[in-house]
Amino acid sequence: MGGLPRLAGLGGNGQLDSSVAAEGLGLFAVRPDGSTMWQRHLPSGHSTPGVGDLDGDGHVDVVVANDEGTVYALDGRNGNTKWGVGTSQFT
């Protein structure tokens, strides 16, 4: 596993969904019944995801960093990338 799971209402239906990073497999969002909402394969290992409404659109986003130093913000509803930024220029 790449990090600890995070619980948040990703689907907007009042239920707590899980977002979890799995080493070598990517990032998953899982519904309370155990079914997969979405999966994203992102390069390299992953940190524990962060969750919150980053852009004020009323929907929860998922933020995760990988071992290559890239931070991704994903739409919690479908896993689509909102943005990604490399952090190597800051070190």
Side-chain angles (χ1 to χ4, degrees):
M1 184 150 322
L4 299 172
R6 291 289 186 214
L7 299 176
L10 302 176
N13 58 6
Q15 296 183 328
L16 288 178
D17 307 296
S18 302
S19 58
V20 62
E23 192 72 33
L25 297 173
L27 186 67
F28 295 83
V30 182
R31 294 180 186 94
D33 67 4
S35 63
T36 302
M37 290 177 64
W38 51 262
Q39 176 189 5
R40 285 294 310 276
H41 179 73
L42 301 170
S44 192
H46 306 93
S47 65
T48 296
V51 293
D53 183 4
L54 297 177
D55 53 10
D57 66 357
H59 301 286
V60 177
D61 304 304
V62 178
V63 178
V64 65
N66 69 12
D67 291 340
E68 296 173 353
T70 303
V71 179
Y72 296 93
L74 308 175
D75 186 320
R77 297 169 292 176
N78 53 32
N80 290 340
T81 301
K82 289 191 167 197
W83 52 260
V85 63
T87 60
S88 61
Q89 71 266 20
F90 302 117
T91 58

